[in-house]
Amino acid sequence: EVLIKDEGIRDTKFLPGDSDETLANGQGIHDDQKIRLRQRVKLANQIAQSASAQGHQRFLALHIDFRSNNQTHVDFDLYHHNSSKKGRQLASILQQTIERQYSSRLGGRNFVGRIVSQPEEDTFFVIRETIMPAVLIELANINNDLDQLRFIVIDSRQRIAEWLCEALVKDWEQDSRVSENQWPGNKPDSHAIR
């Protein structure tokens, strides 16, 4: 299920600010960043707990980093809760998929990305507070010229979306195979339903 609704795909080089999005439940999105994050997590958890939300659930947060006075190039950094086996699985599949795509489509360019397992006290809010397995992806450093191209060039944005989708499907396939082979009574991960 989608958390944010809008008028659809905006397929232009530069995407101007847009303030008419609403949450899937029709609620307006608050201007304050902390309140926005709480809104999204609350709605995601409500969807996860609803009767219609059964089976494979994941929360994927996409973020473009702002590192002040730092031109450091970031391919993709993937963060998950350190007690979430399924979050770690998703982060690994995302990293492997992106790394393979970089190698095959970008002329063998080395992928520079990492998986960060965050303890409870240091975990990003959206990872710590969602009840389903969650991964936050730092897609770029907005201060780095090469990273900016990733989102200015329409084909690059599309390619990244396809890679993320491919990884989510692989995660679902792997999770489906595991659940088919699990013995009854196996305990879920220790952190919520991760």
Side-chain angles (χ1 to χ4, degrees):
E1 178 138 2
V2 177
L3 293 183
I4 299 174
K5 290 186 176 182
D6 193 8
E7 66 276 356
I9 296 171
R10 296 183 293 153
D11 197 12
T12 58
K13 185 173 182 177
F14 295 101
L15 301 175
D18 191 4
S19 60
D20 66 344
E21 293 97 352
T22 61
L23 293 174
N25 63 5
Q27 182 182 11
I29 297 176
H30 202 279
D31 291 337
D32 182 88
Q33 178 184 3
K34 289 181 182 179
I35 295 173
R36 273 197 317 268
L37 289 174
R38 286 188 181 94
Q39 282 181 310
R40 290 178 188 161
V41 167
K42 181 179 178 183
L43 181 57
N45 288 340
Q46 287 171 350
I47 291 169
Q49 292 174 329
S50 72
S52 63
Q54 297 179 9
H56 189 84
Q57 298 178 9
R58 298 294 183 264
F59 186 93
L60 189 61
L62 307 179
H63 190 261
I64 296 177
D65 198 14
F66 173 75
R67 300 178 185 190
S68 59
N69 299 321
N70 187 340
Q71 297 289 317
T72 303
H73 170 70
V74 174
D75 277 330
F76 293 84
D77 286 342
L78 303 121
Y79 299 85
H80 70 91
H81 196 285
N82 69 351
S83 68
S84 174
K85 292 177 186 172
K86 291 183 179 183
R88 170 69 182 176
Q89 171 187 301
L90 176 58
S92 295
I93 291 171
L94 284 159
Q95 182 187 45
Q96 291 164 11
T97 302
I98 294 164
E99 193 168 12
R100 183 177 43 75
Q101 293 289 3
Y102 259 64
S103 179
S104 69
R105 294 182 183 234
L106 300 177
R109 184 174 162 263
N110 286 337
F111 172 76
V112 180
R114 61 195 175 123
I115 294 177
V116 180
S117 178
Q118 293 190 305
E120 182 75 27
E121 63 276 6
D122 294 330
T123 304
F124 289 116
F125 179 82
V126 296
I127 296 173
R128 183 180 65 243
E129 298 299 324
T130 52
I131 62 173
M132 71 285 291
V135 172
L136 182 140
I137 304 176
E138 293 282 4
L139 294 168
N141 174 4
I142 199 65
N143 286 327
N144 181 280
D145 294 339
L146 286 175
D147 287 1
Q148 289 175 20
L149 288 176
R150 213 177 276 157
F151 298 96
I152 292 173
V153 177
I154 295 167
D155 288 343
S156 292
R157 286 195 309 249
Q158 180 63 36
R159 199 169 23 245
I160 290 167
E162 290 170 2
W163 297 351
L164 297 177
C165 184
E166 177 185 334
L168 287 168
V169 168
K170 284 181 183 176
D171 179 68
W172 175 79
E173 290 171 344
Q174 182 169 331
D175 202 43
S176 296
R177 283 192 302 270
V178 168
S179 22
E180 287 173 7
N181 296 321
Q182 278 186 332
W183 292 96
N186 279 358
K187 291 184 177 181
D189 288 358
S190 61
H191 188 76
I193 60 171
R194 298 170 192 259

